[in-house]
Amino acid sequence: MTHVMHYDPSATDLVYTFGGHRPIAEINPGDVLVTSTEDCFGGAVRTVDDLPTRVCQAFNPVTGPFHVVGAEPGDTLALHFIDLTPARDWGMSATFPHFGALTSTHTTATLQPPLEERVWRYDIDRDAGIVRYHARRSESTVDLPLDPMLGTVGVAPAGGEARSTIVPDAHGGNLDTPELRAGTTVYFGVNVPGAMFAIGDGHARQGQGEVCGVAVETAMKVTVAVDLIKGVSTPWPRIETDQRLMAIGAARPLEDAYRISQHDLVTWTADLSGLELLDAYQLVSQAGSAAPGNVCDPNYTMHAAIEKAFLPGVVAYQGAHQRLRDLGRSLR
Amino acid sequence: MTHVMHYDPSATDLVYTFGGHRPIAEINPGDVLVTSTEDCFGGAVRTVDDLPTRVCQAFNPVTGPFHVVGAEPGDTLALHFIDLTPARDWGMSATFPHFGALTSTHTTATLQPPLEERVWRYDIDRDAGIVRYHARRSESTVDLPLDPMLGTVGVAPAGGEARSTIVPDAHGGNLDTPELRAGTTVYFGVNVPGAMFAIGDGHARQGQGEVCGVAVETAMKVTVAVDLIKGVSTPWPRIETDQRLMAIGAARPLEDAYRISQHDLVTWTADLSGLELLDAYQLVSQAGSAAPGNVCDPNYTMHAAIEKAFLPGVVAYQGAHQRLRDLGRSLR
Amino acid sequence: MTHVMHYDPSATDLVYTFGGHRPIAEINPGDVLVTSTEDCFGGAVRTVDDLPTRVCQAFNPVTGPFHVVGAEPGDTLALHFIDLTPARDWGMSATFPHFGALTSTHTTATLQPPLEERVWRYDIDRDAGIVRYHARRSESTVDLPLDPMLGTVGVAPAGGEARSTIVPDAHGGNLDTPELRAGTTVYFGVNVPGAMFAIGDGHARQGQGEVCGVAVETAMKVTVAVDLIKGVSTPWPRIETDQRLMAIGAARPLEDAYRISQHDLVTWTADLSGLELLDAYQLVSQAGSAAPGNVCDPNYTMHAAIEKAFLPGVVAYQGAHQRLRDLGRSLR
Amino acid sequence: MTHVMHYDPSATDLVYTFGGHRPIAEINPGDVLVTSTEDCFGGAVRTVDDLPTRVCQAFNPVTGPFHVVGAEPGDTLALHFIDLTPARDWGMSATFPHFGALTSTHTTATLQPPLEERVWRYDIDRDAGIVRYHARRSESTVDLPLDPMLGTVGVAPAGGEARSTIVPDAHGGNLDTPELRAGTTVYFGVNVPGAMFAIGDGHARQGQGEVCGVAVETAMKVTVAVDLIKGVSTPWPRIETDQRLMAIGAARPLEDAYRISQHDLVTWTADLSGLELLDAYQLVSQAGSAAPGNVCDPNYTMHAAIEKAFLPGVVAYQGAHQRLRDLGRSLR
C-alpha cells in the first residue's frame, strides 16, 4: 500500500535557495507527497496595480526541502508528478524593468531606460481548461489552453553550494520548462545525503522560452510520487513521459544549454540502446527535437528529446517512469 | 490561368552564394516554378565510403537565382512550396571533422583532435513515407517519418554583399529549419531589384538544431509558387502555415537568434492584431512556441511561432498564404 | 596606531564556498591582516606526476571568511593589498580534461576525447623576480616576470547563496584577473552583516584570460588592509590603483562580462566626474581599456579601465585607496 | 630602389565591400603605396548637428581594392604601415540608435527605445599629439593621446563572397583594433588571385572594445609597404610589431573570438618555436596578453599576443616584418 504524506506549508516555511536549509520532512522512496506551492510572487501580486518590485521582498519561494530516506550522492532521485492543479482561479504575469529576453538586464547591461513594469491578470477556468488573457491597453481577450506545470524543481547542489531558486543548473532549480507537466517523471542526480528536493513556481501555462521572463504564475496543488534509483548517477536533469525521453541543459550562452542537452541525450541514447556513440549522435541528429524552456533566467534552459518509439525495447532507470505512472493511476 | 515555368538545372548551373550572380531566368509574380535541387554534397556522396572532405570541392549548391519581375527593395517576396518530393530513394548524412554542435569548430576552436568523419546512407521510401536509418557500427535500423524540407532558401542580401550558401542571415539562406515544408509560405524582404531568389539543400528530414551539422541530404523536386507584396517590407524571414505565423532569427550567440525571432513575432503580432506592444509581448510570452532550426551553421537559427487561432481575424500579407495555398491545390 | 592581525590557517580551516560559513575571526575597519593562502590544489600538486584529478579532493580553498565589524548590506568593503609574496619557490600549472578555453568542457560539451591532463612545475625566484617555465616535451625554458596576484577574493553573496570558490560573480570570488596585485585596492558591495570576505588562489603570474584554465599556482603570504565605506553601495567588484579605475564584470557569454564592466565604468565615471551619462559613455569609448581576466571559469571576467589622469580632480570612495596606500607604505 | 605608388581616390572610387570589385590598381610585392582613406562617414559628418543616420547613405568606405601581382590562394599578404597621419585636424564620433555594446541592436533585439543619436567633434592636434574630447552636455574637455590606426584592412574573402566593410572575419575587414598602428605589419591569408586588399576607417584613437561603436573617426594619409610570402598560408589575421606577435579572432560570441585568437597564437607559437602543442598552450597561458578590438561589429574581435622576447630566436614569415620595417625607415 502506498503511503501518502500531506504537507501544507505556511508562508514562513517557504525557502529561496536550493541547499543551505534543514529538511522540513522526511519521505521514503515509493511514497506520495500531497502538498502545495505558492506562486513566484509569494502571492503578493493579486491585481494589475500590484507592481512586483514594490510589493515583493523576494521571489520564487519553494516548498521543501524534503529529505529522501536513503538517498546518497551517486544515486538518482525520480519525481513523478501525478497531479498539478492551480490552487486559484487567477494567475499573474508581468514585465520587469531588467528581466526578460527582450530587455536589457543586469548582465546584458545597456544604457537604455528599462521596459515599463506592467502586470497582467489571467482568469483560470479549471473546468473549461482555459487561461484567459486580458490586454491592458485594449479590451482584447484571448483564451489559451490551461497547461499546468512547475517552473522550479530540484535538489541541493553539489560542493556545499546554496543556489537561489531563480537559477537553474545541474541540480535542477528554475528550469522553467513547460515539459514539467502532470504525467511526467523528472530525474535528478543526488548531490547530498537525502537529496533535499524542493518544488515551486507553478505556471498555469508558459510559452517556450518564457520570453518576457514571467509565465502565468499561480499557486499549485501538487501530488508527486517519490522514488530513488540507487547507484545510478544522472549528470543533468532528465524527463521521461509516456512518449519521450528528454535531457535538459542549463547554461549561458544558449548554445551551451543546447550542447549540454544534446550531449546528454546522445550519450544517454547510446547507453540505453547499445548504439555506438557516433551512431547515436547521427540518430538523434535526424530524429531529435529541441526547444527552449527559459531564455531569461541566470542560466537559460533547453531540452533535447527523442521519441521512445524510435528506441524500441529501451527501458530507462529500471522502468521507474512506468512504475510511478501506474502508481499514480492507482491513486485516482 | 497560372503560368508554370519548368527549369532543369545542370550541375554547372548551380551557384554557391546568394548575391553575386546573374539571374538564370525571370519569373512573374503569380507564376509557379517547377525545378529541382541537388543535395548539399552536389550529389558526390553516394556511399558510406565517400567522405565529403575528399569527394566534394564545395558545399551546398543552390538552384537560381531567379529574377522576380517587378521586385524592388522594400517589397516582400512570398514563396509558397506546393510540393517537395525527394528525387532519389536514398539520402546521405555525415559527421564532419570541424562542423556540428558537439565538436570543436573553426570558431569554437579547441586543441582537441576533431571527431571522426563518418557517412551514413538512408533509404527513402516515398510511398511508405519512411526514411530508414542504418547504424554504422551495428546492424540497427530505425524507421523515421519522411518529412521533406528545403534547408536553403533566400534572396540576394543587401549592401552589395554575396554570402556563402552555408550562411543564414536576414536574407534567408541556409536557414536549415524543418518548418520549410510543402504547404508553407516563406516571406523575405527584397534587397535588390528582382529579389534574386535561390533554393537548395533538400532534406528528407532533420532534427531540430541539426545537431551533427548534416541532415538526411537529398536531391529534391520542387514546385513553388512565387508572389510579390509590393511596398511591404519584411525585416527577417517569416513563415506562414495554415495554423501558424512564424518569425526566424539568425545570429550568434543562440540567444540572439531567439531575441530576433521573438522580437519580430512580437512586433508583427502587434502590427497585425492592433495590440499595444507590451500587450503583444505578454501574449506571445504565454502563447508562443520556439525551436532551433540549426545550431551548427555560421549563424544559428531559431523560430518563434504563434497559432493563428489565438489571433482571430488576423490576415498577414494581404492573404498571400491562403491565395497561394488555393493556387497550389488547384494545380494538383 | 594601526592594529595588525596575524592569522595562520591550517589546512582544515580553509573553505570552498563564499557564504555558508561562520567567520574565523573579526577584523575592524582600518586594521591590517597578515595571513597566508594555499594554492588552488590545496598544496597537493608538487611534482609533474601529481595529476590534479587524482591527488585533489576539492579545488580552490580560501582563507576566511573574516567578519568586518560594522559592515552592513549597502556598504562597500575596501581591501588594499599591501604585499603579496609567494610562499614557496615553486608553482604548479596544469591542463585539465574538461577545463580551460581551448577544450570542450561540461557546458561547452562535445563528443571529442578531452585534452591530456598534464602538469608543469615552475621555479619561482623571488629575488630575481622571475618565474621559470619548463617545457615538458623538450628542454626549453623561458623566464617570465614574477607578478604575484590573488585569483580569488570576495565576500558572501546576496540572497542566502553560497557559491563555490571556483565561481566569480557580483560578490567577487574567482575573478582570476592579473590586476589584483599588491598596491591595488579592490571594492565589493556588502551583502551580509560582516561582509564575510575570504581570499585565496595565489598566482605567481597569469596570462590574460588564463587560457588553459590554470595559472602559475602558488601559496601566498598576504598583507591586506581592510576598510569600510559606510552607506555607499557597489554593484560589481571595482579596483583602484595609483593610475587607474577599473570595473569588473563576470558573466557568460564573454560579451556580457564586457557589457557589465563597461556599463559599470561608464556610470561610475559619470557619477564621479559629473559628466552626463552619454558624455561619459563617449569618453570611456575613446579613453578606456579592457581585457579578460579569465575565459575558463563558470563565469568569465573582463575589466574596463580608465586612467585617473583623464578624470582630473576625481576622488573615488572618499579617497580610500590613497589612505590605504599611505597606510601600507607606513608599515614597510 | 623601392617603387612608391601614389593613389589619390575620389569619393566615387571608394567601395563598401571586400570582394565583388575590380582592382583599381596593381601593385608589386616590395612596393610602397601612398594613399588616403575617408572616414567611416564618408566625410559627411562634420559638425555635432550632422546626425549620421540622416546625412550618410552608406558607412565605412575603403580605398581599393589593390591587386598584388603574383598573389595566389595559399600565399600570405604582408602589409606594413610605415605612416598613418590624420588628414584633418578634427575627428567625429557618435552614438547610434542600434549600434554599440551598451545598447540593444538589430540582433541583440529588445523592445526598449534606442539610445539617443548624438555626435561629438574632437580636435586633432598632430604636432602636440593630442585628441581633444568635448562633452556635449557640459563644458568639460579632456586631452587624450593621439594614436592613429586603421580600423578596416583586409583582402577579398574566400568562396566568392563579398562582405560589407562593416564586418570583420578571417579575411580581415573591420577589425577595429587599436593595434593596427604605424610600425606594425599585418598578415592575411590570400583567398583570390591578386589578394585584392583594401584599407580604410582611420581612427585618431579608440578605446579597447570601441564600446559606443564609433571611434574618433578621421580621414587618414597612409603609407604602406606591400609584400608577399609565397606558399605560406595564414588562417586568421596576424600582426607583428617590433616587440610582439599577435593573432586576431573575429566571431560571436566574444569567447569564440578569444578562442580563435588564442588557438591561432598557440599553434603559431608551436610552429615557430618547435614547442610541442600543449607546451606552447601552457607557455601562452602564462605569458600571453589579450584584449578586445571591437565588441560592437557584426563579428567581435580579440587579439592574443606574446612578447617576442619570450621566444628567443624565433623568426616569423621569413623576417618580413624586420625587412619592411627597415624599408620603411629608409624612406623617411
Side-chain angles (χ1 to χ4, degrees), chain B residues 16-17 19 105-111 159-164 167 236 250-253 255-257 259-260 263 266-267 277-278 281 300, chain D residues 16-17 19 105-111 159-164 167 236 250-253 255-257 259-260 263 266-267 277-278 281 300:
Chain B
Y16 293 85
T17 58
T105 66
H106 292 291
T107 55
T108 307
T110 82
L111 295 169
E161 284 204 316
R163 304 299 305 277
S164 162
V167 179
W236 287 89
R252 290 190 179 196
E255 53 262 42
D256 272 5
R259 286 180 179 121
I260 292 166
H263 183 277
V266 167
T267 52
L277 188 64
L278 288 193
Y281 187 30
Y300 304 138
Chain D
Y16 293 86
T17 57
T105 66
H106 292 291
T107 55
T108 306
T110 83
L111 295 169
E161 284 204 316
R163 302 299 305 276
S164 163
V167 179
W236 288 88
R252 290 190 179 196
E255 54 263 43
D256 271 5
R259 285 180 181 121
I260 292 166
H263 183 277
V266 167
T267 51
L277 187 64
L278 289 193
Y281 187 31
Y300 304 138

Side-chain angles (χ1 to χ4, degrees), chain D residues 56-225:
Chain D
C56 298
Q57 304 301 316
F59 293 95
N60 220 31
V62 292
T63 300
F66 297 92
H67 178 108
V68 179
V69 177
E72 295 291 334
D75 299 339
T76 289
L77 175 71
L79 297 178
H80 175 74
F81 294 100
I82 296 172
D83 188 63
L84 295 176
T85 300
R88 296 171 183 143
D89 60 4
W90 49 269
M92 307 303 297
S93 191
T95 44
F96 268 74
H98 284 116
F99 197 72
L102 300 187
T103 180
S104 54
T105 66
H106 292 291
T107 55
T108 306
T110 83
L111 295 169
Q112 296 158 286
L115 284 187
E116 175 196 338
E117 186 171 0
R118 192 188 293 178
V119 173
W120 288 260
R121 183 178 160 119
Y122 288 76
D123 308 316
I124 298 174
D125 185 333
R126 283 159 293 201
D127 294 333
I130 281 176
V131 178
R132 180 163 293 170
Y133 158 91
H134 298 268
R136 288 293 311 280
R137 295 288 178 269
S138 66
E139 299 302 308
S140 293
T141 65
V142 181
D143 285 358
L144 302 171
L146 177 65
D147 187 10
M149 49 158 284
L150 287 181
T152 307
V153 181
V155 294
E161 284 204 316
R163 302 299 305 276
S164 163
T165 53
I166 305 294
V167 179
D169 210 326
H171 70 283
N174 201 18
L175 300 171
D176 276 335
T177 170
E179 305 300 333
L180 273 177
R181 297 180 178 90
T184 70
T185 306
V186 59
Y187 302 100
F188 298 101
V190 175
N191 300 302
V192 302
M196 304 294 282
F197 79 86
I199 60 177
D201 191 24
H203 299 164
R205 71 170 285 119
Q206 74 159 78
Q208 287 176 314
E210 204 182 7
V211 61
C212 83
V214 187
V216 182
E217 310 288 336
T218 189
M220 198 72 79
K221 296 185 231 168
V222 179
T223 304
V224 56

